[in-house]
Amino acid sequence: MRRSPWVVMTYAFLLLLAVATAIPNFLPQHIRDTLPAWASSQTVSLGLDLQGGAHLLLAVDRADLAQSRLNELRQTLIAEMRDRKLNPASIRVNGTEVSAVGTEALKEALQYNAAATAGPGTAPDFTVQLSGDVLRLALTDAGLDRAASAAADSSLEVIRHRVDQVGVSEPVISRVGKDRVLVQMPGVENPAQLRELLGSTAKMSFQMVAPGPGHGISLLPMRDGSGAILVEDREELNGDRLNKAASAFDPQTGQPMVTFAFDRQGGAAFAEITAANIGRRFAVVLDGEVLTAPVIQQAISGGQGQITGDFTAEEAQTLAVLLTSGALPASLDVVEERSVGAALGADSIKAGLVTGAIGLALVVAIMVSLYRGWGLLASGVLGLNVMLTLTALGLLGATLTLPGIAGIILCLGIAVDSNILIFSRIREETAKGANAIKALTQGYARAWATILDANITTLLAMLLLFMFGAGAIRGFAITMSLGIVISMFTAVVLMRFMMEALVRRRKITQLAIKPLVGEVSAPGAVSFMKRGRLALAVSAMLSVGSLGLLVMPGPNFGIDFTGGVQMILRSDAPVPLSDLRAAITAHVPGDASLQAFGEPDEVLIRVQGGAGQATVEAVEQVAAQVIPDATFDQIDLVGPTIGAELATTGLLALGLAVLAMLAYIWVRFEWHFAAGAITVLFLDVTKTFGTIALIGWEVNLVTIVALLTLIGYSVNDKVVVYDRIREHLASGDDEPLEDVIDRSLNQVLARCIFTSGTTLAAIVPMAIWGGPAVSGFAWPMIAGVIIATASSLFVSGPVLAWLARRTHVVSRAVSGKQRA
């Protein structure tokens, strides 16, 4: 098919533009700084693990927390007094205590309440004393300590939600000490907005404006500094009923504003409140400040409203994020703000880049050896693939981290696999006697359905991981989604255009696509199904054994899951980070992370370790050997960066992704193909987990990303195998199912070996020479690729045949094709 010169010129222009946009990503920072803003504005932001960023240590504001606890005590006292027909008008809040006119019975009820909330053997949250008829409730230090610790815990996910809504920045968020939260974010350009985003409590309420001073009325300041306003203390509605909020622009004035919507119950209450107070002013209060106080003109149904004021667009966005993410239990103060170096360290990043370049060179060498000049052309298109991916990430403002790089590697593997599929199909058409153009056209036509099914299956999974995941999972999903779309364009559209142009220009009559050495071998006659039941039984037994290994000895969770000890090391001279990392990795048990901390003579060390003091002593001994004058300024216990809610969200996203893959394969193939693909995927993942547990590899965030990458690779592999089986079944030949499976597996055998070989060529150098940080991703991937390839060839066919026999399949494609 000949293309219009305008189409060719459009392709060329867009590709040159994408390459020009991507090139600044490969330039050193000092050169990038000399470029004009338009040339470097779309470079990809690097994550904490690659470039470092801002380090904020937040502490729970105990004064604010105490005030909040006093308000809760006041409400508890009001409820108890009303139950006993006592007048709560005598309640007063003085300093750290609440007092009122009370009785002995009221005192006993409150003492029971205090003991019940604290638990047996624990100091109560507050004390109760009765002097004459004056009852006093005072907060205890133990109660405040528990409240501060609980506030820090519940703040973790609120902070994570706030950061995720601002953009895909993949922060590190963890507990430090008793009442502190550590937040590290890459590439922070506006620290003031970050402090506002993280420290604001964001407690929102809707209260009526009072006509004048009196009991139960407070004077609250306007947030814009224009004065103060009298507001009733009683909350008509609070922010817990908000369903969503978003920044927008007023269509009449063009000024930034915030729109909001309540849930069903909140919307009904909002309608009742506005209907009953037409003509009165309604104050929207955030953290004790009045955002706006409009006059209610009419009843507002539908549960929607807007907040207007003297906002900038940035302030409106921040306010919308605060309202959507929910309130913090107490405000957080920034007690330390510094810059930190890359979590992987310059040495690990350099090792990763070098080993990545070696892997890419090996992939090119394999492609050239298999397909000669056509393989070299496909490798050049891979380079364009990387350029286009970086351009897309830059335009979206996404953050590139090690998980993102893992996504790019998998996308390159998918792109290589697409080329291998296409070349294999072209060889088959050439072997049938087709001329060059016909072989090219038919080869692409036959490969297209397989490529489409394999990529859309993975793309659906990635979209769900992005929608329901968080942090690094979302970053991985974005990179993968972009890479899949781009790889389909480069492999199917761009590569085909270039091949057609070369065939026509050189007037090639036969498109042989020969290997560098030898000839193209015909498909073999290996009987995969002859030992199919044995292979399936062995695979199932290994998976059962792997599940046993997950129980005993169990996975070796790293610091991302378990937490550990955080230490700040200081020296009189610049710290040799690579030597210190190597020494700690070799002599201190558990996962470890080292970052440059502010100055070259300071290092932030996180080490996994439940036995805190033993871990501290081990690190101190190792540090003294590498840095004799090392001192430790600060030592704290640090919580996991992957909390229970984040883990639950990730599992939910993964479950939905698997269901989406199941549904798509069911629709495009038949249900037993879908069940077979998911069954074999389960066997692959369990065996990979078992391998990780058996060898003792640490399970951290990088390991989880490796497993996500493996899931994408494994499903892609199974779709390719099942697509070839489906093609033969649909041809209508009266052939037993086992024979069809054998013939199909022999035809895709070379493709499976070539694809896994190129993928392993890219990963093995990282595992051997990439250092601890990179090898933590590479080794599980190597195990997973080997397991997935073996299961595609030896297990996927027997699983499909077993399902067909067990369910007595009656579809046109399968019925009548089983042996009696």
Side-chain angles (χ1 to χ4, degrees):
M1 183 178 74
R2 296 183 183 275
R3 286 177 171 79
S4 164
W6 288 105
V7 174
V8 176
M9 290 175 63
T10 302
Y11 281 167
F13 174 75
L14 291 176
L15 288 173
L16 288 174
L17 183 62
V19 171
T21 306
I23 282 176
N25 289 289
F26 300 95
L27 300 177
Q29 187 62 46
H30 68 277
I31 296 178
R32 199 184 304 171
D33 292 339
T34 63
L35 298 176
W38 60 265
S40 59
S41 59
Q42 302 301 331
T43 53
V44 180
S45 300
L46 300 180
L48 273 169
D49 49 0
L50 300 178
Q51 74 161 357
H55 167 104
L56 279 80
L57 187 62
L58 310 172
V60 173
D61 185 339
R62 287 189 170 244
D64 178 71
L65 181 64
Q67 189 62 45
S68 176
R69 295 288 295 138
L70 284 172
N71 289 336
E72 292 175 10
L73 276 183
R74 180 174 175 272
Q75 295 301 320
T76 301
L77 183 54
I78 289 174
E80 293 288 350
M81 293 182 74
R82 285 177 175 167
D83 287 346
R84 288 162 179 77
K85 310 300 183 185
L86 299 175
N87 185 5
S90 63
I91 295 177
R92 299 288 183 272
V93 178
N94 302 304
T96 60
E97 68 176 27
V98 180
S99 62
V101 176
T103 63
E104 185 66 31
L106 180 60
K107 170 190 171 184
E108 291 176 359
L110 290 167
Q111 285 179 331
Y112 177 82
N113 186 304
T117 54
T122 306
D125 290 351
F126 59 93
T127 59
V128 185
Q129 292 182 341
L130 182 64
S131 301
D133 63 348
V134 178
L135 186 73
R136 290 186 174 84
L137 283 67
L139 297 173
T140 65
D141 290 339
L144 274 178
D145 287 342
R146 281 196 298 272
S149 179
D153 274 334
S154 57
S155 296
L156 294 177
E157 294 306 322
V158 176
I159 291 172
R160 191 181 303 280
H161 290 159
R162 290 181 180 182
V163 172
D164 279 346
Q165 290 184 59
V166 173
V168 185
S169 54
E170 302 187 26
V172 171
I173 302 172
S174 61
R175 273 284 306 273
V176 176
K178 295 180 179 179
D179 60 354
R180 296 186 174 191
V181 177
L182 172 65
V183 180
Q184 291 186 344
M185 289 180 61
V188 176
E189 297 178 357
N190 191 337
Q193 184 192 16
L194 178 62
R195 286 192 294 271
E196 172 72 13
L197 192 67
L198 300 183
S200 298
T201 311
K203 291 181 179 177
M204 187 179 184
S205 60
F206 297 83
Q207 299 162 235
M208 302 307 302
V209 174
H215 179 69
I217 293 173
S218 300
L219 184 66
L220 298 182
M222 297 294 293
R223 192 175 180 88
D224 61 6
S226 60
I229 189 170
L230 291 169
V231 176
E232 294 180 3
D233 291 343
R234 186 167 63 92
E235 295 181 359
E236 301 289 343
L237 195 60
N238 62 44
D240 293 341
R241 290 298 174 189
L242 281 178
N243 189 33
K244 61 181 179 180
S247 59
F249 291 91
D250 192 319
Q252 297 179 350
T253 64
Q255 293 296 311
M257 66 176 185
V258 175
T259 61
F260 62 86
F262 292 104
D263 59 19
R264 181 179 299 178
Q265 190 172 347
F270 190 57
E272 291 178 6
I273 294 166
T274 53
N277 293 278
I278 294 175
R280 294 189 62 186
R281 296 180 69 188
F282 199 27
V284 182
V285 181
L286 182 73
D287 293 342
E289 296 179 330
V290 179
L291 293 173
T292 184
V295 176
I296 300 174
Q297 303 290 348
Q298 59 184 7
I300 303 174
S301 59
Q304 296 183 346
Q306 61 188 43
I307 303 171
T308 57
D310 190 18
F311 297 131
T312 64
E314 187 178 85
E315 289 170 342
Q317 182 200 26
T318 300
L319 177 57
V321 169
L322 291 174
L323 298 182
T324 303
S325 303
L328 290 170
S331 60
L332 300 173
D333 293 331
V334 179
V335 296
E336 183 178 71
E337 182 176 357
R338 310 179 71 165
S339 61
V340 290
L344 293 180
D347 53 325
S348 295
I349 295 172
K350 182 178 179 181
L353 291 174
V354 171
T355 54
I358 294 172
L360 186 59
L362 289 175
V363 170
V364 173
I366 291 174
M367 291 296 288
V368 171
S369 67
L370 292 174
Y371 307 111
R372 295 192 181 184
W374 299 112
L376 185 61
L377 179 63
S379 301
V381 172
L382 284 183
L384 284 175
N385 190 311
V386 174
M387 295 282 192
L388 291 170
T389 303
L390 292 177
T391 299
L393 289 172
L395 291 173
L396 288 177
T399 302
L400 183 63
T401 61
L402 184 62
I405 293 176
I408 292 176
I409 291 171
L410 177 56
C411 288
L412 291 179
I414 290 174
V416 167
D417 182 50
S418 297
N419 285 314
I420 291 174
L421 280 169
I422 291 164
F423 290 157
S424 298
R425 289 292 193 172
I426 292 173
R427 282 175 170 176
E428 290 176 10
E429 296 302 316
T430 301
K432 295 176 183 178
N435 61 34
I437 289 297
K438 183 178 179 181
L440 186 63
T441 303
Q442 291 294 326
Y444 267 94
R446 292 183 180 278
W448 167 242
T450 306
I451 294 170
L452 181 67
D453 288 335
N455 284 301
I456 288 185
T457 304
T458 309
L459 185 61
L460 283 173
M462 292 305 111
L463 291 177
L464 285 167
L465 285 178
F466 175 77
M467 291 170 62
F468 296 97
I473 293 176
R474 296 187 77 197
F476 172 79
I478 278 187
T479 307
M480 273 294 298
S481 300
L482 290 173
I484 289 169
V485 174
I486 291 169
S487 67
M488 289 178 70
F489 168 73
T490 56
V492 177
V493 178
L494 187 60
M495 186 67 182
R496 178 174 183 173
F497 169 75
M498 297 173 73
M499 290 186 72
E500 285 180 350
L502 286 171
V503 168
R504 293 184 188 280
R505 184 169 183 176
R506 296 185 178 182
K507 299 180 179 179
I508 299 174
T509 57
Q510 189 179 44
L511 199 56
I513 311 186
K514 295 182 179 180
L516 196 61
V517 178
E519 296 293 331
V520 178
S521 57
V526 180
S527 181
F528 291 96
M529 295 298 293
K530 188 175 182 180
R531 298 287 184 268
R533 292 184 179 181
L534 177 61
L536 183 55
V538 170
S539 178
M541 285 171 41
L542 289 175
S543 289
V544 171
S546 297
L547 292 174
L549 288 171
L550 293 178
V551 177
M552 182 65 67
N556 179 21
F557 287 112
I559 192 171
D560 290 337
F561 288 93
T562 65
V565 179
Q566 177 173 287
M567 310 168 70
I568 298 177
L569 180 149
R570 189 187 301 274
S571 173
D572 293 335
V575 176
L577 201 59
S578 58
D579 294 343
L580 183 60
R581 179 182 287 106
I584 290 178
T585 301
H587 299 100
V588 178
D591 194 11
S593 169
L594 282 74
Q595 286 177 284
F597 192 58
E599 302 297 330
D601 58 356
E602 288 182 298
V603 175
L604 180 68
I605 304 173
R606 292 192 196 89
V607 183
Q608 179 186 9
Q613 189 57 40
T615 302
V616 169
E617 291 175 356
V619 173
E620 288 177 339
Q621 291 175 4
V622 171
Q625 296 174 4
V626 179
I627 311 165
D629 64 341
T631 58
F632 291 89
D633 291 348
Q634 185 176 324
I635 300 174
D636 291 299
L637 293 177
V638 60
T641 58
I642 301 178
E645 183 174 343
L646 183 60
T648 302
T649 302
L651 288 174
L652 172 64
L654 183 58
L656 291 173
V658 171
L659 288 176
M661 291 187 286
L662 176 68
Y664 181 80
I665 298 173
W666 191 334
V667 171
R668 285 287 292 163
F669 294 69
E670 291 181 359
W671 80 264
H672 48 284
F673 284 93
I678 299 303
T679 300
V680 182
L681 173 63
F682 173 78
L683 295 173
D684 289 350
V685 173
T686 52
K687 285 194 282 289
T688 305
F689 256 125
T691 303
I692 293 171
L694 179 65
I695 299 178
W697 289 328
E698 287 171 355
V699 178
N700 48 34
L701 186 59
V702 173
T703 312
I704 299 303
V705 171
L707 289 170
L708 291 176
T709 310
L710 168 64
I711 289 172
Y713 181 91
S714 178
V715 171
N716 186 284
D717 223 31
K718 307 307 177 282
V719 169
V720 170
V721 171
Y722 282 167
D723 185 77
R724 184 60 72 104
I725 295 173
R726 178 186 63 172
E727 178 184 326
H728 288 309
L729 290 174
S731 65
D733 295 334
D734 189 13
E735 186 179 6
L737 178 59
E738 283 80 357
D739 291 348
V740 172
I741 293 174
D742 269 339
R743 181 152 59 97
S744 302
L745 288 173
N746 276 285
Q747 288 174 334
V748 300
L749 175 62
R751 172 262 159 201
C752 289
I753 294 174
F754 294 165
T755 299
S756 60
T758 52
T759 305
L760 290 173
I763 300 174
V764 167
M766 296 183 183
I768 299 175
W769 300 296
V774 179
S775 63
F777 166 80
W779 282 118
M781 268 299 296
I782 290 171
V785 167
I786 294 172
I787 290 169
T789 303
S791 70
S792 296
L793 293 172
F794 298 102
V795 181
S796 60
V799 166
L800 182 63
W802 181 81
L803 286 170
R805 282 193 298 268
R806 295 282 295 177
T807 56
H808 305 290
V809 175
V810 295
S811 68
R812 181 185 64 82
V814 179
S815 62
K817 294 179 175 58
Q818 302 175 54
R819 285 195 177 97

